Amino acid sequence: MEYLDYYDEEGNNLGFKTKEEIHTEGLWHNVIYFWLYDEEGNIYFQIKKDSNKFCMTSSGHVLKDETSDDALKRKVLEDLGIEIDHCDVDLADSITCEYSETLNDGSAWIDRIKVDIFTSLYKDDLSDFNFDKNNVSGIIKVNACEVLELFENEKGTIVAMVVTQDDSGKINVTQKNVSIDEFLVNSRETAFVKYGDILNKLIEEVY
């Protein structure tokens, strides 16, 4: 069972509860988002196994007694199988988000989160990845300018490099055309709203 620290609106720690209690009661808690990019201007999206949709390279809750840096290192290792050196990671932004939805069983899911958004320049080989087979199907690598244009126009396709791993652990790399419908967004946002800011920041960084 996962326990999360929770906070008031000013960020004061009020204790800890289970992840389910945090979301049922709508308590403020901390989350990390992580993005890999490379010197050629590409950005890496995770392929989520449960939905087969593309989202940030890695993400997750900050657990009880963890710092955002602790959670970042843990989640990237869990999801992607790579070690992240904090010296090579930048804090790109910190934001707050609030939304709620009704689950299939009729219960409420309330998310009130403070998100630390981290980025890191990836210089290693794709063969270093070792994906969490229960949650991650792989990653796609796309040009940041092209995917930003796709999100702005909301139509068309772009070429993505798809990185997956077979049962023996071998990394396989293929190419495919991807459309905006394959990127993970919720009903209250668009892909441009969800991903546009970080794409612009990384484009500025590279170019």
Side-chain angles (χ1 to χ4, degrees):
M1 183 174 292
E2 288 187 349
Y3 290 92
L4 312 179
D5 290 321
Y6 67 96
Y7 305 84
D8 62 21
E9 292 187 3
E10 285 71 44
N12 299 304
N13 191 313
L14 300 178
F16 66 92
K17 293 193 177 187
T18 67
K19 182 171 69 174
E20 290 72 21
E21 290 172 325
I22 294 289
H23 288 288
T24 299
E25 299 175 32
L27 303 174
W28 285 99
H29 57 288
N30 294 334
V31 169
I32 61 99
Y33 292 168
F34 175 70
W35 292 96
L36 283 176
Y37 67 101
D38 64 27
E39 293 174 323
E40 287 72 48
N42 299 304
I43 187 168
Y44 296 71
F45 285 80
Q46 180 186 133
I47 309 171
K48 293 185 71 67
K49 188 161 189 175
D50 58 355
S51 63
N52 205 37
K53 298 270 189 176
F54 313 141
C55 64
M56 57 282 300
T57 320
S58 184
S59 63
H61 289 97
V62 180
L63 302 181
K64 175 182 175 291
D65 296 330
E66 273 191 328
T67 65
S68 289
D69 284 346
D70 293 335
L72 169 67
K73 186 172 184 178
R74 173 180 56 81
K75 279 303 298 178
V76 173
L77 184 60
E78 288 175 357
D79 287 351
L80 309 178
I82 58 176
E83 294 271 3
I84 288 296
D85 186 339
H86 290 167
C87 295
D88 297 328
V89 173
D90 293 315
L91 178 62
D93 205 356
S94 292
I95 61 174
T96 58
C97 303
E98 292 184 70
Y99 70 90
S100 63
E101 61 181 320
T102 302
L103 302 181
N104 292 334
D105 63 4
S107 62
W109 177 272
I110 307 169
D111 225 5
R112 291 193 173 100
I113 55 175
K114 175 183 178 293
V115 187
D116 284 336
I117 304 174
F118 296 96
T119 63
S120 183
L121 180 65
Y122 192 63
K123 299 180 181 180
D124 296 324
D125 194 276
L126 294 176
S127 62
D128 292 333
F129 288 112
N130 184 25
F131 302 118
D132 175 4
K133 64 181 181 180
N134 294 316
N135 297 304
V136 181
S137 295
I139 56 171
I140 65 165
K141 182 172 77 170
V142 291
N143 179 272
C145 292
E146 290 180 1
V147 74
L148 182 62
E149 184 177 359
L150 176 68
F151 294 160
E152 289 176 323
N153 294 335
E154 297 188 339
K155 62 181 180 181
T157 62
I158 60 172
V159 176
M161 178 182 290
V162 183
V163 182
T164 57
Q165 190 172 28
D166 63 24
D167 291 339
S168 70
K170 179 184 176 183
I171 292 292
N172 300 301
V173 181
T174 58
Q175 284 191 344
K176 65 173 288 190
N177 291 329
V178 298
S179 69
I180 192 171
D181 294 335
E182 296 177 79
F183 292 84
L184 184 65
V185 296
N186 62 49
S187 60
R188 294 160 299 280
E189 62 188 359
T190 65
F192 182 77
V193 168
K194 188 176 183 72
Y195 303 116
D197 284 348
I198 192 64
L199 285 167
N200 277 312
K201 286 179 185 294
L202 293 180
I203 289 168
E204 290 176 6
E205 181 72 24
V206 173
Y207 296 105

